[in-house]
Amino acid sequence: MRVLEVKTMDLEKYHALLLVLHTGSLSTAASRLGYTPSGISRMISSLEEECHFPLLYRKRDGVEATPALKELLPEIEDLLYREERFKQHAAKISGLAIGHVVVGTAYNSFYKDIAESIAAFHHLYPHIHIEMRPGYSTALLHKMEHHELDFCFISKREGKHQWQSLFEDPIMAWVPVQSDYAKKDSFSLESLKEAPYIDMYPGQDVDHARLLKHYHITPHTQFSTMDSSAAEAMVNAGLGICINNAINSHSISEGIKLLPLDPPQSVELGIAYLEDLSPAAKTFIKFIHERIELKKLMH
């Protein structure tokens, strides 16, 4: 069996390969890395020659990984993660603070606090680059386990990761203010079997889908959408009701009434991370934890 020798240039190629996959575009990846699209294409071709099989499918609207590349991805991600940890550890020994930290969040409401933390952290550690990525809790956890993220703000999920609890977040019903449901003080979960239901993120492992599964409720789904703003517009137009986390309901339309569920439901929100955090990620997560504790004392 031929063993590939991984050199510095190979690592650069692998970085480019993952960025192409992340963006879905050779030209976008080239722009971010300061290369020409043809230069990135040559890097990918070089890796394909070394591996002796194709890594990408070229499509009209972008690229996607071949089955062979999908099988290799965990090893490539781990290789680049170890490289980043090595550089950060060496920098720490020499007295420098450098690195790249990727933070995931499942909730838009966290953006402001994370952005403020990044700004304050940047003043102390200007050479540590922070990147923020959105997604669903389960999907973000999967990415973190494959070292695509360093840690993430999500609702509690099963797994071998470390967990830092932040608070309990109620799950609420969004009902049109002109509906009969808006006259009530709460919304019964059993009503979902008959009420016109707007399914947000159908087929995804999101909090409200887990809730319905737990209570063995099949809702009377009339509409569905992969966009929370679209769901809000549908409820506001009187098309139906949906359920969502309270943290996603702070700036809801005036045409929508928020009702607690009956029986009351909530999910635990917090920070998920792996034990083998990079030095830069450890520094940032410690910084965030201290800011959270300070806010608790101030309140």
Side-chain angles (χ1 to χ4, degrees), residues 12 28 68 75-76 99 102 113 115 170 195 197 209 221 226 244 247 254 273 287 296:
E12 188 175 356
T28 302
E75 282 77 12
I76 296 175
V102 185
D113 285 340
Y197 182 62
T221 302
M226 295 294 287
N244 203 346
I247 196 172
E254 292 183 0
Y273 59 96
F287 180 82
K296 288 180 180 178

Side-chain angles (χ1 to χ4, degrees), residues 8 11-12 15 77-89:
T8 302
L11 293 174
E12 188 175 356
H15 276 295
E77 289 163 350
D78 188 64
L79 174 68
L80 298 181
Y81 174 73
R82 299 299 167 186
E83 180 217 10
E84 177 67 16
R85 283 202 62 179
F86 171 81
K87 290 192 297 185
Q88 291 183 23
H89 200 164

Side-chain angles (χ1 to χ4, degrees), residues 64-221:
E64 67 177 32
T66 63
L69 176 55
K70 289 177 181 178
E71 189 173 334
L72 276 181
L73 275 178
E75 282 77 12
I76 296 175
E77 289 163 350
D78 188 64
L79 174 68
L80 298 181
Y81 174 73
R82 299 299 167 186
E83 180 217 10
E84 177 67 16
R85 283 202 62 179
F86 171 81
K87 290 192 297 185
Q88 291 183 23
H89 200 164
K92 185 177 180 181
I93 292 172
S94 66
L96 299 174
I98 67 168
H100 181 208
V101 180
V102 185
V103 183
T105 175
Y107 305 101
N108 293 351
S109 299
F110 280 138
Y111 285 167
K112 182 175 181 292
D113 285 340
I114 298 175
E116 290 175 351
S117 295
I118 291 173
F121 186 78
H122 182 68
H123 284 295
L124 297 175
Y125 304 96
H127 300 297
I128 295 180
H129 174 70
I130 310 292
E131 181 180 350
M132 191 161 43
R133 294 183 187 173
Y136 312 119
S137 293
T138 301
L140 289 174
L141 188 62
H142 178 76
K143 289 178 181 295
M144 185 187 76
E145 290 171 344
H146 287 79
H147 298 304
E148 294 180 47
L149 305 173
D150 290 288
F151 60 92
C152 48
F153 292 82
I154 60 173
S155 56
K156 194 170 186 179
R157 291 291 189 269
E158 306 79 12
K160 297 181 180 180
H161 54 276
Q162 303 298 303
W163 179 251
Q164 180 182 322
S165 179
L166 294 178
F167 57 89
E168 287 286 325
D169 185 47
I171 296 182
M172 311 292 286
W174 294 1
V175 303
V177 293
Q178 71 270 29
S179 70
D180 290 337
Y181 295 110
K183 300 174 184 177
K184 301 180 179 181
D185 295 324
S186 62
F187 185 87
S188 171
L189 278 174
E190 289 296 318
S191 298
L192 290 174
K193 296 178 180 179
E194 299 177 354
Y197 182 62
I198 300 168
D199 189 7
M200 281 195 295
Y201 314 118
Q204 303 297 320
D205 185 27
V206 291
D207 295 332
H208 58 269
R210 287 185 162 219
L211 172 63
L212 296 178
K213 183 178 180 180
H214 175 76
Y215 282 95
H216 306 288
I217 293 176
T218 301
H220 182 52
T221 302

